[in-house]
Amino acid sequence: MTATGDLARQKGRSGPSPAVVPVLIFAPCLIVYLVLFVWPQLSLLTTSAFDKGQLSGVHYVRFLGDEYYWELLGRTLLLGVCVTLITLVLGVPVAYVLARMQSRMAALLLILTTFPLLVSAVVRSFGWMVLFFRDGIVSNTLQALGLVDHPLQLMYTLTGVIIALAQVLLPLMVLTLHGVFKSIDPDLEFAAMSLGASPPLALCLVTLRLARSGIVAGSLLVFSLAISAFATPGLVGGARANVMATAIYEQTIEMLDWPFASTLATVLLVFVLALSLLYGAALDRRAKSESVA
Amino acid sequence: MTIDPRSPFGLLLTAICIIAFAYLILPILVVVVAPLGDTGYLAFPPKGFTLRWYAAALDDTRYLSGFLTSLQIGGAVALLSTIIGVLAAYGLSRYDFPGRSLIEALFLSPLILPTLVLAVSLSLFFTRTGLLTGTGRLVLAHIIVCTPYVIRVTLPVLRRFDRTLEEAAQNLGASPIQSFFLILLPVIKTGIIAGCVMAFITSFDEVVLALFLASPGEPTLPVIIYSAVQLGFEPTVAAVSGLLVILTCVFMVLYQILGVARQD
Amino acid sequence: MEIELRNLAKSFGATKVVNDLSFSLEKGEMIALLGPSGCGKTTTLRMVAGFIGPTSGAILVRGQDVTRLPPHKRDSGLVFQNYALFPHMTVTENIAFGLNRRGIPREEQKARIAAMVEKLKLKGLEQRYPKQLSGGQQQRVAVARALVINPAILLLDEPFSNLDAKLRESTGIELRRIQRELGLTSIFVTHDQNEAMAIADKIAVMNGGVIEQLGSASEIYETPATRFVAEFIGKANFLTGSVVDRSASGVRIDLSSAGALVVPESKVGRDARHVEVMIRPENVVLTADPALQSLQGVVDVISYQGATAHAIIRLPSGLTLMAECKGREAGWMSPGGKVFASLQPESVTVFRH
């Protein structure tokens, strides 16, 4: 020790050797992930691929051979597409307006957007159930407006699930797109307008074009969450508007058919993984286009 | 704003925003307001006014014990996943080694995994290994869901952290461990709190893993509400949900006020 | 000897960032490591502070080898380029940090902090947080924090580079005064030659990981050891030529396009043949009429700066010369005008080419 002057008063201490530190830092997380994440996922795959102790594709054959499951898959994807479209139609304008607002109002509205995310999906779905009730306000309003001529049944229909789930996922779309629009210089629109484009045209030609890969990324995120959502379809859709997630729940809790449930889960997982790879690619493209700009 | 709010296009944008926010808030408003109705069944808008259902909700020990269970699980999960997550994020921000981005992808991957798939696989796993019983299983399951949130929130904060601050501390005589606790943690405190809060809320609100893994004797509040809603539209359930929304609201306002105060 | 660096070297992979670097300092001395970015000056400083372990060589403080000591066990006070003030601590807490780590009793801490606050003119700012301070105030807190621990060495990493030009000069003088007062041995890293020359006792001009020249400010300016030093410190004209004759009166160098020059023998290496002659602009004398050994040229650019005037002279061969004279003596020159330039033999430096 140099230990001159003040430093000599310091008590001697020594830490662990430098090479041990990174190992200690990663150890808790790695152990938790390997035991509770990697291992269970692998055992899910093997469960779906084994029958009576033997490697077998029998569960996948059952899935592919039954029209019911094709319909189930189709309905799930339809749910995903519709939810994504609704969140896009509402999310793009909201995110754009919020990104271009300068005031405290924007911060407040952003908090208002985040708030639903903090409320359990169960509670939000419950809210929709009250609204969808046969004499509920949605049905009455639509009748009063003359859009439908008989009490509208939204409970236990795919339409109801779509409306409810789009509300559940809209905040995520808005927050994703808000970041995207925020990173696009508003002066670009002024530039386009000074060259003769009308405001809506400037918005479409410049900002939306630049935001394209961000919009794609947000859509993929919402789509993959929509096809794997459980609480909302479970409550609003019930047994009559069955989707993949609710079917998996049925197979496990009610039928106790774990191998087949694992098969359905694996199919869902494959879709979600494929989408997340596309999502990653979209983000990459966005990062690249930003670094060029 | 580049768009004139009074132009037809501006009006269209404004209209869409109003519809969108009404759409976002409506179902949440419903669960708060509907149980105030005096009709004995849930309706929106409510007819009459009574606090009966709210009183009943507060009186029902089932909901209270569910709330306490959720609170305990949420607290344990928030604490553990914050420790695990902050350590991992620190490691990712500090050390460069081959396969680092792979490890990062692994740590974040539960975010994209459908919770239901995780619930099925963890149920299988716990049944086969017999690891833990009761609430412990749910805590472990929630840690897997919540740790990625902590990492995602704290990693950018840690990457932005000015490392010369730690060097300055060491230059002034602080050991690496002292400078971690005296400098790094206090400086990134806001990020850690945000990650911790996110983990707590995620665990508290989570229903899928809870349906699969919560011990039948100790269901969490979302499970109780889920089951009750499936059985029928009891105004008390709506009142419980309403209370949850109000609580979330209070919590959020407090968090904002404290957060703003800290930044000054 | 207070501080000694012995054959210090650092490589990152195959690149040698610092190579065989040695110097020593007596108590109270201040050295400036001066060089362009990437010359290894900051790496050297960080090795002294202990943040980087040298590949080879040794660092001695008061005769003890500290080369392998971790940073927190070295007795150095470092002022960072960005100040690195702890954002969550007040000015007082920042200054007290090092004292706390050393277990100094509260009462003594108070007295020492008060003395530092006084010395660095931080009175009234004690309870502020760093972001509530101006750049100059932040810099003074950083200095106070480094000084209050009575370090064996004071290390300064470009401490003025984030200040505006006016503040930079006064702060530099102030820092030098305090450093003298406290008798602090200091190493000061900078890329700004004016700063180095104004503040340091000696300057090590670094390039490519080695010290090109170590000496006082006037030594490195007047008698640069290498072409790099001549070019990096101040302005310089370089003329290539060859030795044509050696006699008792001096060495005759033929500058081809710029005439010939006879310089004292001591300035030219014994066996040098092809040489480069360096002359500072202020040593190029400009006259309206021909003088001995003068070169005729045309004024290309003349810029009046107040105290001085800078001229660029174009010689018939196309070569240009920078010249500098007193501002009030430049009135007769105008762009395009005829001018005679003479090079003073006693003020040139000759490098082997």
Side-chain angles (χ1 to χ4, degrees), chain C residues 99-155:
Chain C
L99 299 175
N100 278 324
R101 302 281 71 72
R102 284 163 170 72
I104 309 283
R106 290 266 158 225
E107 286 310 305
E108 190 186 336
Q109 280 196 22
K110 260 190 190 163
R112 284 167 72 166
I113 293 168
M116 271 305 142
V117 164
E118 181 75 29
K119 200 178 274 303
L120 283 145
K121 305 191 177 79
L122 291 167
K123 259 218 137 56
L125 305 174
E126 292 97 325
Q127 297 314 315
R128 295 228 189 142
Y129 285 92
K131 65 181 166 197
Q132 301 170 310
L133 301 174
S134 72
Q137 291 167 337
Q138 290 184 16
Q139 199 258 4
R140 296 209 298 277
V141 176
V143 172
R145 188 178 69 176
L147 291 182
V148 78
I149 58 173
N150 275 333
I153 337 158
L154 176 65
L155 304 173

Short mmCIF file of all heavy atoms in Angstrom, two decimals, chain C residues 99-155:
data_model
loop_
_atom_site.label_atom_id
_atom_site.label_comp_id
_atom_site.label_asym_id
_atom_site.label_seq_id
_atom_site.Cartn_x
_atom_site.Cartn_y
_atom_site.Cartn_z
N LEU C 99 -13.21 11.82 2.28
CA LEU C 99 -12.89 11.87 3.71
C LEU C 99 -13.60 10.74 4.44
O LEU C 99 -13.03 10.09 5.32
CB LEU C 99 -13.29 13.24 4.29
CG LEU C 99 -12.58 14.44 3.68
CD1 LEU C 99 -13.14 15.75 4.24
CD2 LEU C 99 -11.08 14.37 3.92
N ASN C 100 -14.88 10.51 4.07
CA ASN C 100 -15.63 9.41 4.69
C ASN C 100 -14.97 8.07 4.43
O ASN C 100 -14.91 7.22 5.31
CB ASN C 100 -17.05 9.39 4.14
CG ASN C 100 -17.94 10.40 4.85
OD1 ASN C 100 -17.79 10.60 6.04
ND2 ASN C 100 -18.83 11.02 4.11
N ARG C 101 -14.51 7.87 3.21
CA ARG C 101 -13.89 6.59 2.87
C ARG C 101 -12.61 6.39 3.68
O ARG C 101 -12.16 5.30 3.88
CB ARG C 101 -13.57 6.51 1.38
CG ARG C 101 -14.76 6.67 0.46
CD ARG C 101 -15.59 5.41 0.33
NE ARG C 101 -16.35 5.10 1.52
CZ ARG C 101 -17.42 5.78 1.94
NH1 ARG C 101 -17.86 6.83 1.29
NH2 ARG C 101 -18.06 5.42 3.02
N ARG C 102 -12.02 7.49 4.11
CA ARG C 102 -10.77 7.40 4.86
C ARG C 102 -11.00 7.41 6.36
O ARG C 102 -10.06 7.45 7.13
CB ARG C 102 -9.85 8.56 4.47
CG ARG C 102 -9.21 8.35 3.11
CD ARG C 102 -8.66 9.65 2.56
NE ARG C 102 -7.85 9.40 1.39
CZ ARG C 102 -8.32 9.04 0.22
NH1 ARG C 102 -9.61 8.84 0.07
NH2 ARG C 102 -7.51 8.83 -0.80
N GLY C 103 -12.27 7.43 6.75
CA GLY C 103 -12.59 7.38 8.17
C GLY C 103 -12.14 8.59 8.96
O GLY C 103 -11.81 8.51 10.13
N ILE C 104 -12.12 9.75 8.30
CA ILE C 104 -11.75 10.98 9.00
C ILE C 104 -12.88 11.37 9.95
O ILE C 104 -14.04 11.35 9.56
CB ILE C 104 -11.52 12.13 7.99
CG1 ILE C 104 -10.57 11.71 6.88
CG2 ILE C 104 -11.10 13.42 8.68
CD1 ILE C 104 -9.14 11.69 7.25
N PRO C 105 -12.57 11.72 11.19
CA PRO C 105 -13.63 12.10 12.14
C PRO C 105 -14.42 13.32 11.66
O PRO C 105 -13.88 14.18 10.96
CB PRO C 105 -12.86 12.44 13.42
CG PRO C 105 -11.47 12.03 13.21
CD PRO C 105 -11.24 11.74 11.78
N ARG C 106 -15.70 13.38 12.07
CA ARG C 106 -16.62 14.43 11.62
C ARG C 106 -16.06 15.83 11.77
O ARG C 106 -16.16 16.65 10.85
CB ARG C 106 -17.92 14.38 12.42
CG ARG C 106 -18.79 13.20 12.12
CD ARG C 106 -19.83 13.52 11.06
NE ARG C 106 -20.23 12.23 10.49
CZ ARG C 106 -20.38 11.96 9.21
NH1 ARG C 106 -20.23 12.89 8.33
NH2 ARG C 106 -20.70 10.77 8.79
N GLU C 107 -15.51 16.10 12.95
CA GLU C 107 -15.06 17.45 13.24
C GLU C 107 -13.96 17.88 12.27
O GLU C 107 -14.00 18.97 11.70
CB GLU C 107 -14.54 17.56 14.69
CG GLU C 107 -15.65 17.56 15.72
CD GLU C 107 -16.74 18.59 15.38
OE1 GLU C 107 -16.39 19.77 15.20
OE2 GLU C 107 -17.93 18.20 15.26
N GLU C 108 -13.00 16.97 12.07
CA GLU C 108 -11.90 17.27 11.15
C GLU C 108 -12.44 17.45 9.72
O GLU C 108 -12.03 18.35 9.00
CB GLU C 108 -10.86 16.15 11.21
CG GLU C 108 -9.57 16.52 10.47
CD GLU C 108 -8.59 15.36 10.40
OE1 GLU C 108 -8.65 14.47 11.26
OE2 GLU C 108 -7.77 15.37 9.45
N GLN C 109 -13.40 16.56 9.35
CA GLN C 109 -14.02 16.68 8.03
C GLN C 109 -14.57 18.08 7.81
O GLN C 109 -14.30 18.72 6.80
CB GLN C 109 -15.19 15.70 7.91
CG GLN C 109 -14.79 14.29 7.60
CD GLN C 109 -15.98 13.47 7.13
OE1 GLN C 109 -16.97 14.01 6.65
NE2 GLN C 109 -15.85 12.17 7.24
N LYS C 110 -15.34 18.55 8.82
CA LYS C 110 -15.99 19.86 8.72
C LYS C 110 -14.95 20.94 8.44
O LYS C 110 -15.13 21.77 7.55
CB LYS C 110 -16.72 20.16 10.02
CG LYS C 110 -18.20 19.89 9.95
CD LYS C 110 -18.87 20.46 11.19
CE LYS C 110 -20.31 20.00 11.26
NZ LYS C 110 -20.87 20.17 12.59
N ALA C 111 -13.88 20.91 9.23
CA ALA C 111 -12.85 21.94 9.10
C ALA C 111 -12.20 21.89 7.72
O ALA C 111 -12.01 22.91 7.07
CB ALA C 111 -11.81 21.74 10.20
N ARG C 112 -11.89 20.67 7.28
CA ARG C 112 -11.20 20.56 5.98
C ARG C 112 -12.10 20.95 4.82
O ARG C 112 -11.66 21.57 3.85
CB ARG C 112 -10.67 19.13 5.81
CG ARG C 112 -9.42 18.91 6.66
CD ARG C 112 -9.04 17.47 6.78
NE ARG C 112 -8.48 16.93 5.55
CZ ARG C 112 -7.84 15.76 5.49
NH1 ARG C 112 -7.67 15.05 6.60
NH2 ARG C 112 -7.37 15.31 4.36
N ILE C 113 -13.40 20.57 4.93
CA ILE C 113 -14.33 20.96 3.87
C ILE C 113 -14.48 22.47 3.83
O ILE C 113 -14.45 23.09 2.76
CB ILE C 113 -15.70 20.27 4.07
CG1 ILE C 113 -15.56 18.76 3.87
CG2 ILE C 113 -16.73 20.83 3.09
CD1 ILE C 113 -16.75 17.96 4.30
N ALA C 114 -14.60 23.07 5.03
CA ALA C 114 -14.76 24.53 5.09
C ALA C 114 -13.55 25.21 4.46
O ALA C 114 -13.69 26.18 3.70
CB ALA C 114 -14.92 24.96 6.55
N ALA C 115 -12.36 24.69 4.73
CA ALA C 115 -11.15 25.29 4.16
C ALA C 115 -11.16 25.21 2.63
O ALA C 115 -10.81 26.16 1.93
CB ALA C 115 -9.91 24.58 4.72
N MET C 116 -11.60 24.04 2.11
CA MET C 116 -11.66 23.86 0.66
C MET C 116 -12.70 24.77 0.01
O MET C 116 -12.48 25.34 -1.06
CB MET C 116 -12.01 22.40 0.33
CG MET C 116 -10.82 21.50 0.21
SD MET C 116 -9.65 22.16 -1.01
CE MET C 116 -8.14 21.76 -0.19
N VAL C 117 -13.87 24.87 0.70
CA VAL C 117 -14.94 25.72 0.19
C VAL C 117 -14.44 27.15 0.09
O VAL C 117 -14.68 27.85 -0.90
CB VAL C 117 -16.17 25.61 1.11
CG1 VAL C 117 -17.15 26.74 0.85
CG2 VAL C 117 -16.86 24.26 0.93
N GLU C 118 -13.69 27.55 1.12
CA GLU C 118 -13.10 28.88 1.14
C GLU C 118 -12.13 29.06 -0.02
O GLU C 118 -12.22 29.98 -0.83
CB GLU C 118 -12.38 29.04 2.48
CG GLU C 118 -11.73 30.38 2.72
CD GLU C 118 -12.76 31.44 3.05
OE1 GLU C 118 -13.82 31.09 3.62
OE2 GLU C 118 -12.50 32.60 2.73
N LYS C 119 -11.20 28.13 -0.11
CA LYS C 119 -10.12 28.22 -1.08
C LYS C 119 -10.64 28.24 -2.52
O LYS C 119 -10.11 28.94 -3.37
CB LYS C 119 -9.17 27.02 -0.89
CG LYS C 119 -7.77 27.23 -1.48
CD LYS C 119 -6.88 26.05 -1.23
CE LYS C 119 -6.16 26.07 0.10
NZ LYS C 119 -5.33 27.24 0.33
N LEU C 120 -11.70 27.47 -2.78
CA LEU C 120 -12.19 27.39 -4.16
C LEU C 120 -13.42 28.25 -4.40
O LEU C 120 -14.13 28.08 -5.40
CB LEU C 120 -12.44 25.93 -4.53
CG LEU C 120 -11.10 25.25 -4.82
CD1 LEU C 120 -11.09 23.81 -4.39
CD2 LEU C 120 -10.72 25.40 -6.28
N LYS C 121 -13.68 29.17 -3.47
CA LYS C 121 -14.76 30.13 -3.67
C LYS C 121 -16.10 29.44 -3.92
O LYS C 121 -16.80 29.74 -4.88
CB LYS C 121 -14.43 31.08 -4.83
CG LYS C 121 -13.10 31.78 -4.66
CD LYS C 121 -12.96 32.89 -5.68
CE LYS C 121 -11.68 33.66 -5.48
NZ LYS C 121 -10.50 32.97 -6.02
N LEU C 122 -16.41 28.48 -3.05
CA LEU C 122 -17.67 27.76 -3.20
C LEU C 122 -18.66 28.14 -2.10
O LEU C 122 -19.68 27.49 -1.93
CB LEU C 122 -17.42 26.25 -3.16
CG LEU C 122 -16.67 25.69 -4.37
CD1 LEU C 122 -16.20 24.28 -4.11
CD2 LEU C 122 -17.55 25.73 -5.61
N LYS C 123 -18.35 29.19 -1.38
CA LYS C 123 -19.22 29.60 -0.27
C LYS C 123 -20.63 29.86 -0.76
O LYS C 123 -20.82 30.48 -1.80
CB LYS C 123 -18.65 30.88 0.38
CG LYS C 123 -17.90 30.57 1.65
CD LYS C 123 -18.11 31.63 2.72
CE LYS C 123 -18.31 31.03 4.08
NZ LYS C 123 -17.27 30.14 4.53
N GLY C 124 -21.61 29.38 0.00
CA GLY C 124 -23.00 29.60 -0.36
C GLY C 124 -23.55 28.55 -1.29
O GLY C 124 -24.74 28.48 -1.53
N LEU C 125 -22.68 27.72 -1.84
CA LEU C 125 -23.14 26.69 -2.78
C LEU C 125 -23.15 25.31 -2.13
O LEU C 125 -23.49 24.32 -2.77
CB LEU C 125 -22.22 26.64 -4.00
CG LEU C 125 -22.03 27.95 -4.76
CD1 LEU C 125 -20.99 27.79 -5.85
CD2 LEU C 125 -23.35 28.41 -5.35
N GLU C 126 -22.80 25.25 -0.83
CA GLU C 126 -22.55 23.95 -0.18
C GLU C 126 -23.71 22.98 -0.30
O GLU C 126 -23.50 21.78 -0.42
CB GLU C 126 -22.23 24.14 1.31
CG GLU C 126 -20.91 24.83 1.59
CD GLU C 126 -21.07 26.31 1.85
OE1 GLU C 126 -21.96 26.92 1.22
OE2 GLU C 126 -20.34 26.86 2.68
N GLN C 127 -24.96 23.50 -0.23
CA GLN C 127 -26.11 22.58 -0.21
C GLN C 127 -26.70 22.36 -1.59
O GLN C 127 -27.73 21.72 -1.74
CB GLN C 127 -27.19 23.11 0.75
CG GLN C 127 -26.73 23.19 2.21
CD GLN C 127 -26.01 21.94 2.67
OE1 GLN C 127 -26.44 20.81 2.40
NE2 GLN C 127 -24.88 22.11 3.36
N ARG C 128 -26.04 22.88 -2.62
CA ARG C 128 -26.59 22.69 -3.97
C ARG C 128 -26.20 21.33 -4.52
O ARG C 128 -25.22 20.74 -4.12
CB ARG C 128 -26.03 23.77 -4.89
CG ARG C 128 -26.51 25.13 -4.51
CD ARG C 128 -27.00 25.85 -5.70
NE ARG C 128 -27.26 27.25 -5.36
CZ ARG C 128 -26.99 28.23 -6.19
NH1 ARG C 128 -26.45 27.97 -7.36
NH2 ARG C 128 -27.26 29.46 -5.85
N TYR C 129 -26.99 20.90 -5.49
CA TYR C 129 -26.66 19.67 -6.22
C TYR C 129 -25.92 20.05 -7.50
O TYR C 129 -26.10 21.14 -8.02
CB TYR C 129 -27.94 18.90 -6.54
CG TYR C 129 -28.49 18.21 -5.32
CD1 TYR C 129 -29.44 18.83 -4.51
CD2 TYR C 129 -28.03 16.94 -4.95
CE1 TYR C 129 -29.92 18.21 -3.36
CE2 TYR C 129 -28.51 16.31 -3.82
CZ TYR C 129 -29.45 16.95 -3.01
OH TYR C 129 -29.91 16.32 -1.89
N PRO C 130 -25.09 19.14 -8.01
CA PRO C 130 -24.26 19.48 -9.17
C PRO C 130 -25.02 20.12 -10.32
O PRO C 130 -24.54 21.09 -10.91
CB PRO C 130 -23.68 18.13 -9.57
CG PRO C 130 -23.58 17.37 -8.30
CD PRO C 130 -24.77 17.80 -7.48
N LYS C 131 -26.25 19.62 -10.62
CA LYS C 131 -26.91 20.18 -11.80
C LYS C 131 -27.43 21.60 -11.55
O LYS C 131 -27.90 22.25 -12.47
CB LYS C 131 -28.01 19.25 -12.30
CG LYS C 131 -29.15 19.07 -11.36
CD LYS C 131 -30.18 18.10 -11.97
CE LYS C 131 -31.15 17.66 -10.89
NZ LYS C 131 -31.90 16.49 -11.24
N GLN C 132 -27.35 22.06 -10.30
CA GLN C 132 -27.74 23.44 -10.01
C GLN C 132 -26.54 24.39 -10.09
O GLN C 132 -26.65 25.55 -9.71
CB GLN C 132 -28.35 23.53 -8.61
CG GLN C 132 -29.57 22.64 -8.44
CD GLN C 132 -30.01 22.55 -6.99
OE1 GLN C 132 -29.23 22.28 -6.11
NE2 GLN C 132 -31.29 22.76 -6.76
N LEU C 133 -25.39 23.87 -10.53
CA LEU C 133 -24.18 24.69 -10.60
C LEU C 133 -23.81 24.98 -12.05
O LEU C 133 -24.13 24.21 -12.95
CB LEU C 133 -23.01 23.94 -9.94
CG LEU C 133 -23.16 23.53 -8.47
CD1 LEU C 133 -21.98 22.69 -8.05
CD2 LEU C 133 -23.29 24.77 -7.60
N SER C 134 -23.08 26.10 -12.23
CA SER C 134 -22.57 26.40 -13.57
C SER C 134 -21.36 25.52 -13.84
O SER C 134 -20.84 24.86 -12.93
CB SER C 134 -22.15 27.87 -13.63
OG SER C 134 -20.97 28.05 -12.88
N GLY C 135 -20.93 25.50 -15.09
CA GLY C 135 -19.78 24.66 -15.45
C GLY C 135 -18.54 24.99 -14.64
O GLY C 135 -17.84 24.11 -14.16
N GLY C 136 -18.29 26.28 -14.46
CA GLY C 136 -17.10 26.69 -13.70
C GLY C 136 -17.20 26.26 -12.25
O GLY C 136 -16.21 25.81 -11.66
N GLN C 137 -18.40 26.39 -11.67
CA GLN C 137 -18.59 25.97 -10.28
C GLN C 137 -18.41 24.47 -10.13
O GLN C 137 -17.77 24.00 -9.19
CB GLN C 137 -19.99 26.39 -9.80
CG GLN C 137 -20.15 27.90 -9.65
CD GLN C 137 -21.59 28.31 -9.50
OE1 GLN C 137 -22.51 27.58 -9.89
NE2 GLN C 137 -21.82 29.48 -8.92
N GLN C 138 -18.96 23.72 -11.11
CA GLN C 138 -18.80 22.26 -11.07
C GLN C 138 -17.32 21.90 -11.09
O GLN C 138 -16.87 21.02 -10.36
CB GLN C 138 -19.51 21.62 -12.27
CG GLN C 138 -21.01 21.69 -12.18
CD GLN C 138 -21.67 20.95 -13.33
OE1 GLN C 138 -21.04 20.16 -14.02
NE2 GLN C 138 -22.94 21.20 -13.54
N GLN C 139 -16.59 22.59 -11.94
CA GLN C 139 -15.17 22.30 -12.06
C GLN C 139 -14.46 22.55 -10.74
O GLN C 139 -13.62 21.77 -10.32
CB GLN C 139 -14.59 23.17 -13.18
CG GLN C 139 -13.29 22.67 -13.73
CD GLN C 139 -12.13 23.46 -13.20
OE1 GLN C 139 -12.29 24.35 -12.36
NE2 GLN C 139 -10.94 23.13 -13.68
N ARG C 140 -14.84 23.62 -10.04
CA ARG C 140 -14.19 23.93 -8.77
C ARG C 140 -14.54 22.90 -7.70
O ARG C 140 -13.72 22.56 -6.87
CB ARG C 140 -14.58 25.35 -8.31
CG ARG C 140 -14.09 26.42 -9.28
CD ARG C 140 -13.82 27.74 -8.60
NE ARG C 140 -14.99 28.33 -7.97
CZ ARG C 140 -15.89 29.06 -8.60
NH1 ARG C 140 -15.76 29.28 -9.90
NH2 ARG C 140 -16.92 29.57 -7.96
N VAL C 141 -15.80 22.40 -7.75
CA VAL C 141 -16.17 21.34 -6.81
C VAL C 141 -15.31 20.09 -7.07
O VAL C 141 -14.81 19.45 -6.14
CB VAL C 141 -17.67 20.99 -6.92
CG1 VAL C 141 -18.02 19.82 -6.00
CG2 VAL C 141 -18.53 22.19 -6.58
N ALA C 142 -15.14 19.78 -8.35
CA ALA C 142 -14.34 18.60 -8.70
C ALA C 142 -12.92 18.75 -8.17
O ALA C 142 -12.32 17.80 -7.65
CB ALA C 142 -14.34 18.40 -10.21
N VAL C 143 -12.37 19.96 -8.29
CA VAL C 143 -11.01 20.20 -7.79
C VAL C 143 -10.99 20.09 -6.27
O VAL C 143 -10.13 19.43 -5.69
CB VAL C 143 -10.50 21.59 -8.25
CG1 VAL C 143 -9.18 21.92 -7.58
CG2 VAL C 143 -10.36 21.62 -9.76
N ALA C 144 -11.99 20.69 -5.61
CA ALA C 144 -12.05 20.64 -4.16
C ALA C 144 -12.13 19.20 -3.67
O ALA C 144 -11.46 18.80 -2.72
CB ALA C 144 -13.27 21.42 -3.66
N ARG C 145 -12.95 18.40 -4.36
CA ARG C 145 -13.12 17.01 -3.96
C ARG C 145 -11.81 16.23 -4.07
O ARG C 145 -11.52 15.36 -3.25
CB ARG C 145 -14.20 16.39 -4.86
CG ARG C 145 -14.64 15.01 -4.45
CD ARG C 145 -15.74 14.50 -5.35
NE ARG C 145 -15.26 14.22 -6.69
CZ ARG C 145 -16.02 13.70 -7.65
NH1 ARG C 145 -17.29 13.42 -7.40
NH2 ARG C 145 -15.53 13.47 -8.84
N ALA C 146 -11.02 16.58 -5.09
CA ALA C 146 -9.76 15.87 -5.28
C ALA C 146 -8.68 16.37 -4.30
O ALA C 146 -7.82 15.61 -3.88
CB ALA C 146 -9.28 16.03 -6.72
N LEU C 147 -8.76 17.65 -3.94
CA LEU C 147 -7.71 18.22 -3.09
C LEU C 147 -7.90 17.93 -1.61
O LEU C 147 -6.94 17.82 -0.86
CB LEU C 147 -7.64 19.75 -3.28
CG LEU C 147 -7.14 20.25 -4.63
CD1 LEU C 147 -7.09 21.77 -4.62
CD2 LEU C 147 -5.78 19.68 -4.95
N VAL C 148 -9.17 17.81 -1.20
CA VAL C 148 -9.47 17.74 0.23
C VAL C 148 -8.86 16.49 0.87
O VAL C 148 -8.62 16.46 2.06
CB VAL C 148 -10.99 17.83 0.46
CG1 VAL C 148 -11.66 16.50 0.16
CG2 VAL C 148 -11.31 18.28 1.87
N ILE C 149 -8.60 15.46 0.06
CA ILE C 149 -8.04 14.23 0.63
C ILE C 149 -6.52 14.28 0.73
O ILE C 149 -5.88 13.28 1.08
CB ILE C 149 -8.47 12.99 -0.19
CG1 ILE C 149 -8.03 13.14 -1.65
CG2 ILE C 149 -9.96 12.76 -0.10
CD1 ILE C 149 -8.27 11.91 -2.49
N ASN C 150 -5.93 15.43 0.46
CA ASN C 150 -4.47 15.57 0.51
C ASN C 150 -3.76 14.48 -0.27
O ASN C 150 -2.96 13.72 0.29
CB ASN C 150 -3.97 15.48 1.96
CG ASN C 150 -4.06 16.82 2.63
OD1 ASN C 150 -4.00 17.85 1.96
ND2 ASN C 150 -4.22 16.80 3.93
N PRO C 151 -4.02 14.35 -1.55
CA PRO C 151 -3.45 13.22 -2.28
C PRO C 151 -1.94 13.38 -2.47
O PRO C 151 -1.43 14.50 -2.44
CB PRO C 151 -4.18 13.28 -3.62
CG PRO C 151 -4.51 14.73 -3.79
CD PRO C 151 -4.78 15.25 -2.41
N ALA C 152 -1.26 12.26 -2.64
CA ALA C 152 0.16 12.32 -2.95
C ALA C 152 0.37 12.88 -4.35
O ALA C 152 1.37 13.56 -4.61
CB ALA C 152 0.78 10.93 -2.86
N ILE C 153 -0.56 12.59 -5.25
CA ILE C 153 -0.48 13.13 -6.61
C ILE C 153 -1.84 13.71 -6.97
O ILE C 153 -2.87 13.10 -6.68
CB ILE C 153 -0.26 12.04 -7.70
CG1 ILE C 153 0.39 10.80 -7.13
CG2 ILE C 153 0.48 12.62 -8.89
CD1 ILE C 153 0.13 9.60 -8.01
N LEU C 154 -1.80 14.85 -7.64
CA LEU C 154 -3.03 15.40 -8.20
C LEU C 154 -3.02 15.10 -9.70
O LEU C 154 -2.04 15.40 -10.40
CB LEU C 154 -3.09 16.91 -7.96
CG LEU C 154 -4.28 17.63 -8.59
CD1 LEU C 154 -5.58 17.18 -7.97
CD2 LEU C 154 -4.13 19.14 -8.46
N LEU C 155 -4.10 14.46 -10.17
CA LEU C 155 -4.18 14.13 -11.59
C LEU C 155 -5.29 14.96 -12.22
O LEU C 155 -6.39 15.02 -11.69
CB LEU C 155 -4.49 12.64 -11.77
CG LEU C 155 -3.51 11.68 -11.08
CD1 LEU C 155 -4.02 10.26 -11.19
CD2 LEU C 155 -2.13 11.79 -11.72
#
